[in-house]
Amino acid sequence: MLTLQFPGAQRLVEALDLAICRDCPTEITDQLRHTLCRLIRDPEVKLPDCVFEPVGDHYARRELYRSEEHGYSVIAMTWGPGQGTPIHDHAGMWCVEGVWHGLLEITPYELTGQDDNRYRFESRGTMIAGAGSAGSLIPPHEYHTICNPSDDDVAVSLHIYRGPMTSCSVFRPLADTWYERDQRQLSLDQTH
């Protein structure tokens, strides 16, 4: 189900449908990553104008497509200057994330310990991803943060999830690399 019409929408959907027809998560995410990099550079695919409009107090999540046949969803995220996420997971779902516009700072984390509702994480380095780049997350390697490092430019990323992403775990810092887990309901921002 296409949520928003935009130039090249059918081209994007057909390419993603073709990429997702694989046997295992690694094959699916590898193919989606390559496909997404190609689509980002395709001049015939132009995301709707609304995905380039930031929301003042949070990064925006706008659904572009949800596949009734294959179950995956496509969310465009708009990152205003300095906007980002805490450490979070993807609720056990694989995801492919591509930078459509601007730059994003991505830091993967490894879960190195757990004690009741306390979790210990270690950073695995930070990378700056530019337009045209894409990466994938496959559980249990799904913990990360994303941030727009710019002081004045908007960044836009496209996220392809195995299914509808309606909630996730977020981790609030306690002390000495320990974090507390909270469940967060995820909403979609208005499209127009």
Side-chain angles (χ1 to χ4, degrees):
M1 173 180 74
L2 196 60
T3 310
L4 284 173
Q5 291 294 332
F6 55 93
Q10 197 57 42
R11 186 179 182 105
L12 181 133
V13 168
E14 288 171 3
L16 296 179
D17 279 354
L18 188 61
I20 205 156
C21 292
R22 301 289 184 272
D23 292 328
C24 75
T26 302
E27 290 176 10
I28 293 169
T29 57
D30 284 350
Q31 192 61 41
L32 281 172
R33 198 172 62 252
H34 296 300
T35 300
L36 188 53
C37 286
R38 241 186 11 260
L39 288 166
I40 292 168
R41 292 178 176 88
D42 187 335
E44 293 184 31
V45 180
K46 299 184 187 315
L47 296 184
D49 290 342
C50 68
V51 306
F52 296 92
E53 298 170 9
V55 175
D57 63 345
H58 64 277
Y59 66 92
R61 299 178 77 245
R62 296 175 175 108
E63 184 178 69
L64 300 182
Y65 178 71
R66 188 177 325 139
S67 172
E68 294 173 13
E69 180 180 354
H70 301 292
Y72 70 89
S73 64
V74 180
I75 305 289
M77 294 192 189
T78 311
W79 309 86
Q83 289 179 340
T85 68
I87 296 176
H88 66 283
D89 67 13
H90 282 170
M93 285 193 278
W94 57 253
C95 175
V96 174
E97 304 173 341
V99 181
W100 200 277
H101 176 80
L103 298 173
L104 287 175
E105 183 178 282
I106 301 163
T107 305
Y109 288 84
E110 185 174 333
L111 178 63
T112 59
Q114 184 177 348
D115 177 20
D116 294 326
N117 196 34
R118 293 180 343 137
Y119 299 79
R120 177 170 269 160
F121 291 100
E122 289 181 14
S123 167
R124 292 297 177 235
T126 295
M127 62 193 96
I128 300 293
S133 62
S136 58
L137 299 161
I138 302 173
H141 306 288
E142 61 184 314
Y143 303 104
H144 63 291
T145 60
I146 301 175
C147 177
N148 177 356
S150 175
D151 291 332
D152 46 19
D153 289 331
V154 169
V156 176
S157 55
L158 212 59
H159 300 245
I160 304 158
Y161 297 104
R162 180 184 51 120
M165 178 101 163
T166 58
S167 68
C168 69
S169 295
V170 295
F171 299 87
R172 292 180 303 139
L174 295 170
D176 298 330
T177 68
W178 284 98
Y179 292 78
E180 181 177 50
R181 185 174 86 172
D182 285 326
Q183 199 65 15
R184 178 175 288 172
Q185 295 302 319
L186 301 172
S187 59
L188 296 171
D189 290 281
Q190 189 163 350
T191 55
H192 42 83

